[in-house]
Coordinates of all heavy atoms in Angstrom, one line a residue:
R17 N 72.4 10.0 55.1 CA 71.9 10.8 54.1 C 72.5 12.1 53.9 O 72.9 12.5 52.8 CB 70.4 11.1 54.3 CG 69.8 12.0 53.2 CD 68.3 12.0 53.4 NE 67.5 10.8 52.9 CZ 67.3 10.5 51.6 NH1 67.6 11.4 50.7 NH2 66.7 9.3 51.4
V20 N 76.1 11.5 52.4 CA 76.0 11.2 51.0 C 75.7 12.5 50.1 O 76.2 12.7 49.1 CB 75.0 10.2 50.7 CG1 74.8 9.9 49.2 CG2 75.3 8.8 51.4
W21 N 74.8 13.4 50.7 CA 74.5 14.5 50.1 C 75.8 15.5 49.8 O 76.1 15.9 48.7 CB 73.5 15.3 50.7 CG 72.1 15.2 50.4 CD1 71.1 14.6 51.0 CD2 71.5 15.8 49.1 NE1 69.9 14.6 50.2 CE2 70.1 15.4 49.1 CE3 72.0 16.5 48.0 CZ2 69.3 15.6 48.1 CZ3 71.2 16.8 47.0 CH2 69.8 16.4 47.0
G24 N 78.1 13.8 47.5 CA 77.6 13.8 46.2 C 77.8 15.2 45.5 O 78.1 15.3 44.3
V30 N 77.1 16.1 41.8 CA 75.9 15.5 41.3 C 74.7 16.5 41.0 O 74.5 17.4 41.7 CB 75.5 14.3 42.2 CG1 75.0 15.0 43.5 CG2 74.4 13.5 41.5
S31 N 74.1 16.3 40.0 CA 72.8 17.1 39.6 C 71.7 16.2 39.2 O 72.0 15.1 38.6 CB 73.1 18.1 38.5 OG 73.4 17.5 37.3
F32 N 70.5 16.6 39.4 CA 69.3 15.6 39.2 C 68.4 16.3 38.1 O 68.1 17.5 38.3 CB 68.6 15.4 40.4 CG 69.5 14.8 41.5 CD1 70.0 15.6 42.6 CD2 69.8 13.5 41.5 CE1 70.8 14.9 43.5 CE2 70.6 12.9 42.4 CZ 71.0 13.7 43.5
T35 N 63.3 14.9 38.5 CA 62.8 14.3 39.8 C 61.3 14.4 40.0 O 60.8 13.7 40.8 CB 63.6 15.0 40.9 OG1 63.3 16.5 40.8 CG2 65.0 14.8 40.8
I38 N 59.3 11.1 39.8 CA 59.6 9.9 40.8 C 58.2 10.0 41.6 O 57.6 10.9 42.2 CB 60.6 10.4 41.9 CG1 61.9 10.4 41.2 CG2 60.6 9.5 43.0 CD1 63.0 11.0 42.2
L44 N 56.9 0.4 43.1 CA 57.7 1.0 41.9 C 59.1 0.3 41.8 O 59.7 -0.1 42.8 CB 58.1 2.4 42.3 CG 58.9 3.0 41.3 CD1 58.1 3.5 39.9 CD2 59.5 4.5 41.8
I45 N 59.3 -0.1 40.6 CA 60.6 -0.7 40.3 C 61.5 0.4 39.5 O 61.0 1.0 38.6 CB 60.6 -1.9 39.3 CG1 59.9 -3.1 40.0 CG2 61.9 -2.3 38.7 CD1 59.6 -4.3 39.1
I46 N 62.7 0.6 40.1 CA 63.6 1.6 39.6 C 64.6 0.8 38.8 O 65.3 -0.1 39.3 CB 64.2 2.4 40.7 CG1 63.3 3.0 41.6 CG2 65.3 3.5 40.2 CD1 63.8 3.5 43.0
A47 N 64.8 1.1 37.6 CA 65.7 0.5 36.7 C 66.7 1.4 36.1 O 66.3 2.4 35.4 CB 65.0 -0.3 35.5
A48 N 68.0 1.2 36.4 CA 68.9 2.2 36.0 C 70.2 1.5 35.4 O 70.5 0.3 35.7 CB 69.5 3.0 37.2
N49 N 70.9 2.2 34.5 CA 72.3 1.8 34.0 C 73.3 1.7 35.3 O 73.1 2.5 36.2 CB 72.8 2.6 32.9 CG 73.1 4.0 33.3 OD1 72.1 4.7 33.9 ND2 74.1 4.6 32.9
H50 N 74.3 0.9 35.3 CA 75.1 0.7 36.5 C 76.5 0.9 36.0 O 77.1 0.0 35.2 CB 74.9 -0.8 37.0 CG 75.5 -1.0 38.3 ND1 75.9 0.2 39.1 CD2 75.6 -2.0 39.2 CE1 76.2 -0.3 40.3 NE2 76.1 -1.6 40.3
V51 N 77.1 2.0 36.5 CA 78.5 2.3 36.0 C 79.5 2.4 37.1 O 80.7 2.5 36.9 CB 78.5 3.7 35.2 CG1 77.8 3.4 33.8 CG2 77.8 4.8 35.9
S52 N 79.1 2.6 38.4 CA 80.0 2.8 39.5 C 79.4 2.3 40.8 O 78.1 2.2 40.9 CB 80.4 4.2 39.5 OG 79.4 4.9 40.2
Y53 N 80.2 2.0 41.8 CA 79.8 1.8 43.2 C 79.0 2.9 43.8 O 78.2 2.8 44.6 CB 80.9 1.4 44.1 CG 81.6 0.2 43.9 CD1 83.0 0.0 43.8 CD2 80.8 -0.9 44.0 CE1 83.6 -1.3 43.6 CE2 81.4 -2.3 43.8 CZ 82.8 -2.3 43.6 OH 83.3 -3.6 43.5
A54 N 79.1 4.2 43.3 CA 78.4 5.2 43.8 C 77.0 5.5 43.3 O 76.2 6.2 43.8 CB 79.2 6.6 43.4
D55 N 76.5 4.6 42.4 CA 75.2 4.7 41.7 C 74.1 4.6 42.8 O 73.2 5.4 42.7 CB 75.0 3.7 40.6 CG 76.0 3.8 39.5 OD1 76.6 5.0 39.4 OD2 76.3 3.0 38.7
P56 N 74.0 3.5 43.6 CA 72.8 3.3 44.5 C 72.7 4.5 45.4 O 71.6 5.1 45.5 CB 73.2 2.0 45.2 CG 74.0 1.3 44.2 CD 74.9 2.3 43.6
P57 N 73.7 4.9 46.1 CA 73.4 6.0 47.1 C 73.1 7.4 46.5 O 72.4 8.1 46.9 CB 74.8 6.2 47.9 CG 75.7 5.4 47.1 CD 75.0 4.5 46.4
L58 N 73.9 7.7 45.4 CA 73.5 9.0 44.6 C 72.1 9.0 44.1 O 71.4 9.9 44.1 CB 74.6 9.2 43.5 CG 76.0 9.4 43.9 CD1 77.0 9.7 42.9 CD2 76.1 10.6 45.1
L59 N 71.8 7.9 43.3 CA 70.5 7.7 42.7 C 69.4 7.9 43.8 O 68.3 8.4 43.4 CB 70.4 6.4 42.0 CG 69.1 6.0 41.2 CD1 69.5 4.9 40.2 CD2 68.0 5.5 42.0
S60 N 69.5 7.5 44.9 CA 68.5 7.4 46.0 C 68.2 8.8 46.6 O 67.3 9.0 47.4 CB 68.8 6.4 47.0 OG 69.1 5.2 46.5
L61 N 69.2 9.7 46.5 CA 69.1 10.9 47.1 C 67.8 11.8 47.0 O 67.3 12.3 48.0 CB 70.2 11.9 46.8 CG 71.5 11.6 47.5 CD1 72.8 12.4 46.9 CD2 71.5 11.6 49.0
P62 N 67.2 11.8 45.8 CA 65.9 12.6 45.8 C 64.8 12.0 46.3 O 63.7 12.6 46.4 CB 65.8 12.8 44.2 CG 67.1 12.6 43.6 CD 67.7 11.5 44.6
F63 N 64.8 10.6 46.6 CA 63.7 9.9 47.0 C 63.4 10.2 48.6 O 64.2 10.3 49.3 CB 63.9 8.4 46.9 CG 63.9 7.9 45.6 CD1 64.8 8.1 44.6 CD2 62.6 7.2 45.1 CE1 64.7 7.6 43.3 CE2 62.5 6.8 43.8 CZ 63.6 7.0 42.9
R64 N 62.1 10.3 48.8 CA 61.7 10.5 50.2 C 60.7 9.5 50.6 O 59.6 9.6 51.1 CB 60.9 11.9 50.3 CG 61.8 13.1 50.2 CD 62.9 13.1 51.3 NE 63.8 14.3 51.2 CZ 64.9 14.3 50.6 NH1 65.4 13.2 50.0 NH2 65.7 15.3 50.6
I67 N 63.4 2.6 49.9 CA 63.8 1.9 48.7 C 64.6 0.6 49.1 O 65.4 0.8 50.2 CB 64.8 2.7 48.0 CG1 64.3 4.1 47.5 CG2 65.4 1.9 46.7 CD1 65.3 5.0 46.7
F68 N 64.2 -0.5 48.5 CA 64.9 -1.8 48.8 C 65.9 -2.0 47.6 O 65.7 -1.5 46.4 CB 64.0 -2.9 48.8 CG 63.2 -3.0 50.2 CD1 62.2 -2.0 50.4 CD2 63.6 -3.7 51.2 CE1 61.4 -2.1 51.5 CE2 62.9 -3.8 52.4 CZ 61.8 -2.9 52.6
Y69 N 67.0 -2.7 47.7 CA 68.0 -2.8 46.7 C 68.4 -4.2 46.5 O 68.6 -5.0 47.4 CB 69.3 -2.1 47.2 CG 69.2 -0.7 47.5 CD1 68.8 -0.3 48.9 CD2 69.3 0.4 46.6 CE1 68.6 1.1 49.2 CE2 69.2 1.8 46.9 CZ 68.8 2.1 48.2 OH 68.6 3.4 48.6
A115 N 59.5 1.0 47.0 CA 60.3 1.0 45.7 C 61.4 0.1 45.7 O 62.0 -0.2 46.8 CB 60.9 2.4 45.5
L116 N 61.7 -0.6 44.6 CA 62.8 -1.6 44.6 C 63.8 -1.2 43.4 O 63.4 -1.0 42.3 CB 62.2 -2.9 44.2 CG 63.1 -4.1 44.0 CD1 63.9 -4.4 45.2 CD2 62.2 -5.3 43.5
L117 N 65.0 -1.0 43.7 CA 66.0 -0.6 42.8 C 66.7 -1.8 42.3 O 67.2 -2.6 43.1 CB 67.1 0.3 43.5 CG 68.4 0.7 42.5 CD1 67.9 1.3 41.3 CD2 69.3 1.5 43.4
I118 N 66.8 -2.0 41.0 CA 67.3 -3.1 40.3 C 68.2 -2.5 39.2 O 67.7 -1.7 38.3 CB 66.4 -4.1 39.7 CG1 65.4 -4.7 40.9 CG2 67.1 -5.3 39.0 CD1 64.4 -5.6 40.4
F119 N 69.5 -3.1 39.0 CA 70.3 -2.7 37.9 C 70.2 -3.9 36.9 O 70.8 -4.9 37.1 CB 71.8 -2.6 38.3 CG 72.0 -1.3 39.2 CD1 72.1 -1.5 40.6 CD2 71.8 0.0 38.6 CE1 72.5 -0.4 41.3 CE2 72.0 1.1 39.4 CZ 72.3 0.9 40.8
P120 N 69.4 -3.7 35.9 CA 69.1 -4.9 34.9 C 70.2 -5.3 34.1 O 70.2 -6.4 33.5 CB 67.9 -4.3 34.1 CG 68.0 -2.8 34.2 CD 68.6 -2.6 35.6
L149 N 60.5 2.9 36.7 CA 61.0 4.2 36.6 C 62.4 4.1 36.0 O 63.4 3.7 36.5 CB 61.1 4.9 38.0 CG 61.8 6.2 37.9 CD1 60.9 7.4 37.4 CD2 62.1 6.7 39.3
P150 N 62.6 4.4 34.7 CA 63.9 4.3 34.0 C 64.8 5.5 34.5 O 64.3 6.7 34.7 CB 63.6 4.5 32.6 CG 62.2 4.3 32.4 CD 61.6 4.7 33.7
V151 N 66.0 5.2 34.8 CA 67.0 6.2 35.3 C 68.3 6.1 34.5 O 68.8 4.9 34.5 CB 67.2 6.0 36.8 CG1 68.3 7.0 37.4 CG2 66.0 6.1 37.6
T152 N 68.9 7.2 34.2 CA 70.1 7.2 33.4 C 71.1 7.9 34.2 O 70.9 9.0 34.7 CB 69.9 7.9 32.0 OG1 68.9 7.4 31.3 CG2 71.2 7.9 31.2
I153 N 72.2 7.2 34.4 CA 73.4 7.8 35.1 C 74.5 8.1 34.1 O 75.0 7.3 33.4 CB 73.8 6.9 36.2 CG1 72.7 6.5 37.2 CG2 75.1 7.5 37.0 CD1 73.0 5.5 38.1
A156 N 79.3 9.2 36.1 CA 79.9 8.4 37.1 C 80.9 7.4 36.6 O 81.9 6.9 37.5 CB 78.8 7.6 37.9
V172 N 78.5 14.3 37.8 CA 77.6 13.2 37.7 C 76.1 13.9 37.5 O 75.8 14.6 38.1 CB 77.5 12.2 38.8 CG1 76.4 11.2 38.8 CG2 78.9 11.6 38.9
T173 N 75.4 13.3 36.4 CA 74.1 13.8 36.2 C 73.2 12.5 36.3 O 73.5 11.4 35.6 CB 74.0 14.4 34.9 OG1 74.8 15.6 34.8 CG2 72.5 14.8 34.5
I174 N 72.1 12.6 36.9 CA 71.2 11.4 37.1 C 69.8 12.0 36.6 O 69.3 13.0 37.0 CB 71.1 11.0 38.5 CG1 72.5 10.5 39.0 CG2 70.1 9.7 38.6 CD1 72.5 10.1 40.4
T175 N 69.3 11.3 35.5 CA 68.0 11.7 34.9 C 66.9 10.6 35.2 O 67.1 9.4 35.0 CB 68.2 11.8 33.3 OG1 69.3 12.7 33.2 CG2 67.0 12.2 32.7
Y176 N 65.8 11.0 35.8 CA 64.7 10.3 36.1 C 63.6 10.4 35.0 O 63.1 11.6 34.8 CB 64.1 10.6 37.4 CG 65.1 10.5 38.5 CD1 66.0 11.6 38.8 CD2 65.3 9.4 39.2 CE1 66.9 11.6 39.8 CE2 66.3 9.3 40.3 CZ 67.1 10.4 40.5 OH 68.1 10.3 41.5
I203 N 66.5 4.6 28.8 CA 67.9 4.9 29.4 C 68.8 5.3 28.6 O 69.7 6.2 28.8 CB 68.1 3.6 30.3 CG1 67.2 3.3 31.4 CG2 69.6 3.8 30.8 CD1 67.4 2.1 32.1

Side-chain angles (χ1 to χ4, degrees):
R17 177 172 287 275
V20 175
W21 263 111
V30 66
S31 61
F32 305 100
T35 54
I38 299 175
L44 178 70
I45 291 175
I46 307 161
N49 62 312
H50 197 9
V51 292
S52 78
Y53 282 130
D55 297 343
L58 293 181
L59 183 158
S60 303
L61 283 173
F63 284 79
R64 292 295 182 268
I67 300 178
F68 288 79
Y69 306 86
L116 176 62
L117 172 60
I118 301 176
F119 293 107
L149 175 71
V151 179
T152 305
I153 302 169
V172 177
T173 301
I174 303 179
T175 303
Y176 304 84
I203 292 174

